[in-house]
Amino acid sequence: MIPGYAGKVLHIDLTKGSVRKLRLRKSFIKSYIGGKGFGARFLYDMVTPRINPLSPSNPLMFFTGPVTATGAPASARDVVVTKSPKTGTFLDSNSGGFWGCWLKIAGYDGLIITGRAQKLSYIYINDGSVEIRDATGLKGFGVYATTEALVKEVGDKNAKVAAIGPAGENLVKLAGIVNDLHHVHARGGPGAVMGSKNLKAIVISAEPRKPRFEIADKDGFTDYNRKIIKEVVMGPPEEWARTDGTPIIVRWSNDVGVLPTRNFQQGVFEDVDKIDAEVMRSFRTSKGACYRCSIACRNLTKIKDDKWGEIELDGPEYETIALGGSNTGLSDFKAIIAWNSLADDLGMDTISLGNVTALAMEAFEKGYLDKDVLGGMELRFGDADVQMELAKMIAYRKGIGDVLAEGAREFVAWLGGDAYKLAMETKGLEYPAYDPRGSIGMALAYATADRGACHLRAWPIAAEAFGDMDPFTTEGKAKLVIDMQDLNAVKWSMVFCDFLDADYELITNYFNHVTGLNYKPETMKLIGERINNLIRLFNVREGFSRKDDYIPYRVAYEEMPVGPNKGFRVKPELFKRMLDEYYKLRGWDRNGVPKKGKLRKLGLGRDISRMNVSGIIS
Ligand code: SF4
């Protein structure tokens, strides 16, 4: 076995109640690295085109990578991969905490779950044994109570739990899978896939002092790790993460006019002083870290309040503050903490939840929804009680919550008429917290992201509004987005956290020390490109093409009304120019389909003729 890997993947079929241990081929490992790469290959090979993502045959897969649990900075991650019930695309969604590290320490590079259990169940992985156990007593439990009950039930206070809440059980498309209480595989609805399998949780007991994997060059790894901790982690590149973490971005985004405010109607929030990092610090009890992470970016906060009670939270992160704060017009930081905690317990993605909440509020205020439909409820921006109530209605699919549980695209389709103008989504995934009207590259990044609108595939705003590039011109943006997407495909395959300031050289050095292989940075770059092309092929096979790489009406046709980007919008002709250039540089045709020559160059030639894609490839 190649060092850095445990060498085994578990396949659990919940319908049959069977457990198999699969060995990974060396050639497979070398071509796809781990995490996202493993998931891309498995999903493409396992899934029959056009299956219902909530059917038993859609696999729910968890993968670690070669650096997971090694003690490298930002390496406490795992990736969940499945066909998304939210978008119908490939989906990978990663999370920190401890759970993913425990999976690898226990001796598994991944976990593939298929089928559907007859009754609500949980999986218990303990050393070499794997059991499917009854979880019917946990039906309807929130994530917190589920985690507490299962840690007690397995009798190991160090056991790690990944669980779904009521949202996942109710097949809400905004549902995530929550590791270790507050670390969420959030985007694209993986929690609904887990719910569709009647699987409440996966519990792992492992012995961190006896990891079941090796590091090839231990001394070299230790020396290199020390150097990176000194120069990168403790140096200027990670200062923002070590100090305030992502809440620092609230102020950055507001200053450059991209902070989503009241459903992206504007990019500056008049109450930003009440939700920025300085306010977060007043609620912070300590800094926190995922397993052995030297960056320790986490903010552990606490509130004690007559209204919300006593709440301890690992968070909130920037995205949560922006989507559940400025975007819903909420400027009460305590309420944002309470809402974040509620979303984690219900098991939901705060990005999509904040986005659809704000959308419903705008729809109400503009007369698309009336009180009768809402049972007398008034959906006003800035009303914390309504925001909280709506989260519960969505998780339990009550009233209007049943429609919102499907997402922004489905909600505006249900409203009809010109309500589509209010929805901020691409491919059915709700927009994260950077308005492209202040950083045009973000429009392309969201439009071409494999899982729908996502800032974790490419984050060109770092070079545009937060950097030196002109944020309003299209020049160089297609190449920038492609380079970032390919690098991130490698990061999510290693699996590193987004917050490590890593280039190909750093990643390759870690990879070589851990595995004993002798890769060059160019090899890694090629693997990133291979993974993204394979995923595009998966999406093409599912029927996706240029028509699905779109930007929302608001971004294209409504000028930013106030702030530094006043008067700017991403005109359709500018977007088209970027998209054409993007396809050309990718080696894809005008419809966004990878060409044969490109696929062969990437070692994907055998995929051209398989699974009905040959007829649409030129
Ligand atoms: S950088 Fe932060 S989120 Fe990432 S692994 Fe480290 S502590 Fe966790």
Side-chain angles (χ1 to χ4, degrees):
M1 179 37 54
I2 299 175
Y5 298 89
K8 289 193 293 287
V9 168
L10 272 178
H11 177 205
I12 300 175
D13 185 327
L14 292 170
T15 305
K16 295 181 187 155
S18 63
V19 178
R20 286 195 306 150
K21 290 175 186 169
L22 313 174
R23 294 222 164 261
L24 296 175
R25 276 183 286 113
K26 281 188 185 171
S27 58
F28 170 81
I29 292 174
K30 286 179 171 177
S31 301
Y32 294 99
I33 302 176
K36 177 170 183 149
F38 282 5
R41 185 74 260 175
F42 268 108
L43 197 74
Y44 192 89
D45 290 344
M46 286 179 74
V47 166
T48 309
R50 316 290 173 115
I51 61 161
N52 178 350
L54 299 180
S55 69
S57 50
N58 187 23
L60 180 69
M61 304 185 273
F62 298 84
F63 291 105
T64 60
V67 291
T68 305
T70 57
S75 63
R77 311 291 289 186
D78 69 277
V79 178
V80 66
V81 175
T82 190
K83 180 177 171 182
S84 168
K86 186 93 183 58
T87 60
T89 62
F90 166 90
L91 172 68
D92 69 301
S93 184
N94 80 31
S95 169
F98 288 69
W99 185 90
C101 295
W102 257 229
L103 180 65
K104 184 165 167 189
I105 290 166
Y108 303 104
D109 297 309
L111 180 56
I112 299 174
I113 301 162
T114 52
R116 182 173 200 271
Q118 278 185 349
K119 58 185 179 187
L120 195 64
S121 303
Y122 78 96
I123 293 168
Y124 182 40
I125 299 171
N126 179 18
D127 215 0
S129 83
V130 182
E131 292 171 61
I132 302 165
R133 294 182 170 187
D134 182 17
T136 47
L138 299 174
K139 191 166 173 49
F141 274 37
V143 166
Y144 303 158
T146 300
T147 303
E148 192 184 339
L150 288 175
V151 166
K152 202 180 279 179
E153 184 168 315
V154 302
D156 170 13
K157 65 179 184 355
N158 287 321
K160 305 302 174 203
V161 179
I164 57 169
E169 284 186 51
N170 295 323
L171 309 184
V172 169
K173 306 281 174 62
L174 286 51
I177 300 167
V178 188
N179 288 3
D180 312 304
L181 302 173
H182 298 294
H183 300 265
V184 192
H185 299 97
R187 307 235 66 199
V193 177
M194 191 149 149
S196 74
K197 299 194 174 309
N198 248 336
L199 184 62
K200 182 70 178 170
I202 305 162
V203 186
I204 306 175
S205 289
E207 176 47 74
R209 277 169 303 180
K210 293 182 195 155
R212 292 175 182 243
F213 62 90
E214 302 285 332
I215 292 178
D217 172 16
K218 276 190 193 148
D219 292 344
F221 176 87
T222 305
D223 289 348
Y224 188 67
N225 205 34
R226 276 203 195 111
K227 174 180 147 69
I228 294 303
I229 289 174
K230 188 172 165 215
E231 292 173 9
V232 179
V233 175
M234 296 303 159
E238 298 293 344
E239 193 187 347
W240 68 274
R242 280 186 286 109
T243 52
D244 286 335
T246 60
I248 207 168
I249 305 172
V250 172
R251 181 63 68 174
W252 297 354
S253 287
N254 196 70
D255 287 351
V256 299
V258 302
L259 182 68
T261 300
R262 289 183 284 278
N263 197 32
F264 291 81
Q265 290 184 80
Q266 57 188 61
V268 287
F269 186 41
E270 62 284 359
D271 281 336
V272 69
D273 291 351
K274 297 178 183 167
I275 63 166
D276 67 5
E278 202 178 324
V279 179
M280 178 279 297
R281 264 183 256 134
S282 68
F283 294 100
R284 185 166 68 193
T285 52
S286 67
K287 290 290 284 178
C290 303
Y291 180 66
R292 293 180 69 193
C293 180
S294 47
I295 297 175
C297 76
R298 316 292 302 176
N299 295 302
L300 309 184
T301 55
K302 183 174 178 177
I303 59 168
K304 200 170 177 182
D305 184 88
D306 286 346
K307 184 162 187 168
W308 310 116
E310 191 171 327
I311 294 173
E312 290 186 32
L313 182 74
D314 186 337
E317 298 287 352
Y318 165 68
E319 292 288 337
T320 305
I321 299 170
L323 272 311
S326 54
N327 202 43
T328 57
L330 186 61
S331 55
D332 174 353
F333 206 85
K334 280 187 188 175
I336 293 172
I337 288 177
W339 179 77
N340 188 162
S341 177
L342 177 67
D344 287 356
D345 195 32
L346 295 169
M348 281 195 285
D349 169 17
T350 54
I351 296 179
S352 285
L353 180 61
N355 187 308
V356 299
T357 300
L359 168 63
M361 287 171 168
E362 187 182 357
F364 175 79
E365 292 199 349
K366 292 204 165 146
Y368 290 93
L369 268 173
D370 61 43
K371 275 202 264 182
D372 294 343
V373 178
L374 297 168
M377 201 175 175
E378 294 196 12
L379 302 181
R380 301 275 177 207
F381 283 113
D383 188 329
D385 293 321
V386 161
Q387 188 167 323
M388 224 63 80
E389 187 56 28
L390 213 48
K392 291 180 208 156
M393 290 169 72
I394 292 169
Y396 291 100
R397 288 187 171 274
K398 295 259 167 65
I400 195 73
D402 192 28
V403 188
L404 290 167
E406 295 297 307
R409 181 179 58 185
E410 291 72 14
F411 178 65
V412 295
W414 177 80
L415 288 175
D418 64 354
Y420 67 88
K421 293 180 177 175
L422 313 183
M424 294 296 289
E425 55 79 24
T426 296
K427 298 185 182 69
L429 192 67
E430 290 75 18
Y431 256 42
Y434 307 93
D435 194 315
R437 290 173 292 178
S439 223
I440 195 169
M442 291 305 299
L444 185 66
Y446 291 151
T448 58
D450 48 16
R451 64 180 186 180
C454 174
H455 62 296
L456 295 172
R457 302 297 172 259
W459 199 53
I461 193 171
E464 299 183 288
F466 297 156
D468 299 329
M469 273 178 115
D470 185 335
F472 304 116
T473 63
T474 61
E475 276 73 43
K477 303 303 165 63
K479 181 168 183 329
L480 178 67
V481 167
I482 290 170
D483 287 347
M484 287 179 159
Q485 287 174 340
D486 290 348
L487 177 64
N488 281 335
V490 176
K491 266 175 104 175
W492 311 153
S493 299
M494 286 291 286
V495 179
F496 277 121
C497 170
D498 185 34
F499 302 150
L500 181 65
D501 190 16
D503 58 13
Y504 284 111
E505 196 181 321
L506 181 150
I507 292 172
T508 309
N509 282 333
Y510 269 114
F511 182 76
N512 289 344
H513 285 307
V514 170
T515 62
L517 297 172
N518 189 22
Y519 276 26
K520 300 259 181 306
E522 307 83 75
T523 317
M524 286 298 200
K525 192 172 186 316
L526 187 84
I527 291 172
E529 197 183 355
R530 175 184 299 139
I531 292 166
N532 279 328
N533 274 270
L534 180 61
I535 292 169
R536 184 68 181 192
L537 211 50
F538 177 91
N539 286 344
V540 166
R541 200 175 70 182
E542 293 295 327
F544 289 85
S545 64
R546 184 179 191 117
K547 69 184 185 321
D548 304 291
D549 296 341
Y550 57 83
I551 53 175
Y553 178 91
R554 174 156 286 158
V555 174
Y557 296 105
E558 293 182 14
E559 292 178 354
M560 195 62 101
V562 291
N565 309 317
K566 186 167 186 241
F568 190 73
R569 64 186 165 99
V570 181
K571 290 180 182 159
E573 60 271 26
L574 293 183
F575 176 69
K576 181 179 178 300
R577 189 186 301 161
M578 285 194 296
L579 191 61
D580 284 343
E581 192 185 349
Y582 176 94
Y583 289 162
K584 197 169 167 200
L585 290 174
R586 274 273 182 223
W588 298 354
D589 70 15
R590 292 187 58 76
N591 207 22
V593 178
K595 292 184 181 174
K596 280 180 186 168
K598 169 59 73 177
L599 294 170
R600 287 198 185 105
K601 200 174 140 217
L602 294 171
L604 297 171
R606 76 184 176 104
D607 296 303
I608 297 169
S609 57
R610 298 170 66 227
M611 309 298 258
N612 306 324
V613 289
S614 57
I616 44 179
I617 291 183
S618 55

